[in-house]
Amino acid sequence: MTDKNLPGHPFITYRNNELYVEDVRLADLARQHGTPLFVYSQGAMLSALAAYQRGFAGRNAQICYAMKANSSLAILQLFARAGCGFDIVSGGELQRVLAAGGNPAKVIFSGVGKTRAEIRLALQADIGCFNVESEAELDAINEVALSLGKTAPVSIRVNPNVDAKTHPYISTGLKDNKFGIAHEHALATYQRAARLPGLKVVGIDCHIGSQITQEDPYLDAMERVLELVQAIEAAGVHLHHIDFGGGLGIDYNGDTPPAADALWAKLLTKLDARGYGDRQLMIEPGRSLVGNAGVCLTEVLYLKPGEQKNFCIVDAAMNDLPRPAMYEAYHQIIPLNPRASQTSIWEVVGPVCESGDWLGHERALAVNAGDQLAVLSAGAYCMSMASNYNTRSRAAEVLVSGNQAHLIRLRETSTDQMRGELLLS
Ligand code: LLP
C-alpha cells in the first residue's frame, strides 16, 4: 500500500500500511508511551488557526481560543505564541492561561456562573473582558470591581434566538437555553450596565452553539446582533468590539462545515454592508482549532464475539473519550496497521462498568487482540472532559511537529489520583 490521506485529516496519513501523524509513526508512540494515548498534530492546529487568520487579514480582529476544547498547557502555549487570546469559563482556566504564558489582556471570561472569587482573580489579572450573562452577574462584577478600586471591562452576551441546528446539548442560542440575555432585554441591560460605576461597557457578544455545520445560523445571528448594536449605540452606549463566539463544526463523519475563511468572507461582507466592518472583531473558536488535530490511540484487549453482537474491548473508555456516551457522538475508529483479512462488525467498547461505555457502534474492522486502533477527531472535548471514573488514570498526551514528538502530559498515576484525599484518623 502506498501513501493514503484521510479525508478531512490532512496531517494524518497511512504510509506503507502504517498510520502516521505528520512524520511520526503512531505505533512507535504507542510502544514508547503506552495506551490510551492522545497524539496531536501541531501542523493541523496551526493550519486550522491560519484559516481564521486568512479570513481576518487586514482586519482588527482577535482570535480567543475557547480553551475548554483542550486546555493542556502546551497547547495553550502554542496558541499564545501564535498570537491568540483565550476564552475562559473558570478561574482554573485563567490559572492555566497564566501558567502557559498567555496574555491576560487577551482573555475574555464567559460563563453563566462566575463566582465572586473568580471575578476577583480575573480583575486582579487585568483580563480583557467579562462576557456577562445576567443582570445579577453585572451587579456582582460591579461590586467586586468597586471593592478592588478597579473598573471591569464588560460585554453582554446576547441570546439572538437562532437555531444553530446542532445537538440540543450543545445548542446555546435559543430562548430556552440558560445562556445570555434575551434579545428583547439586551438594550435595557446595556443601559443598566452603563450606569454602574464599577463597569466599563466595551463590547457585545453572542455564541449560538457548537459543531455548527451550516452558515445560515451565523448569518442570521450576525443580523440579529447588528440590529442590537445599532439600537444600543443609538441609546448612547458605544461598543468597541463585537464578539461572534465560536461553534464552527468539524468533519467527524462526512460532515461538511464551511471553511473558516470562506465563512468569514461572507460574514465580513455583511458586516461591511451594515457599516460595522471597522470594529474590533473577536471570535471564540474551540473545536475547529483542535478537534481534527488529535487522535486517541488504544489497544484491543479482548475480542468477545456473541450471538447478537460482537464486542471489541479496547483499553480506552468513556472516561477518556466521553463524547459517544454523552452525545452519541461519532468518532471514526481506524487501525494503526490495517490487516488484509476480512472485516467483521464490532461494537467497540471500553473497560468501564457501564453499558454506556462505548466508543463506536457497528464498526467494520479486521482486528485481533493486541492490535492498536486510532480514534479520530479526538483533539477537542476529549482530554478536557476526561474523568477518573472507575479510578482510571487519565491518558498521556504527545504533541507532534514534523518528525518530532513531545510528551506534553505524563500518564496520570493512582497516587496522583489519591493526592488530597484523607483517611479517617
Ligand atoms: N464560546 C462559548 C461561550 C462557548 O460556550 C463555547 C463552547 C465556545 C466558545 C467554543 O465552541 P466551539 O468552537 O468549540 O464549538 N462538549 C461538547 C461541546 C460543548 C461546547 C461548549 N461551549 C462536545 O463535545 O461536543
Side-chain angles (χ1 to χ4, degrees), residues 67 71-78 80-81 86 88 91-104 107 125:
M67 60 179 284
S71 53
S72 299
L73 289 181
I75 290 173
L76 304 184
Q77 203 183 10
L78 184 72
R81 285 179 180 168
F86 297 93
I88 65 165
E93 287 197 339
L94 177 56
Q95 304 280 22
R96 282 186 172 271
V97 169
L98 299 176
N103 179 356
V107 166

Side-chain angles (χ1 to χ4, degrees), residues 382-403:
C382 292
M383 182 49 114
S384 61
M385 300 209 310
S387 79
N388 290 125
Y389 189 37
N390 281 203
T391 306
R392 287 171 53 85
S393 291
R394 284 176 301 163
E397 294 180 298
V398 169
L399 182 66
V400 166
S401 172
N403 61 8

Side-chain angles (χ1 to χ4, degrees), residues 159-168 170-175 177 208-209 212 214-218 220-221 224:
N159 189 336
N161 198 24
V162 301
D163 185 356
K165 304 192 176 87
T166 179
H167 191 288
I170 53 177
S171 183
T172 52
L174 280 169
K175 262 192 173 169
N177 292 128
I208 55 174
I212 301 170
Q214 299 176 28
E215 59 186 33
D216 287 353
Y218 279 106
D220 294 349
R224 304 269 295 160

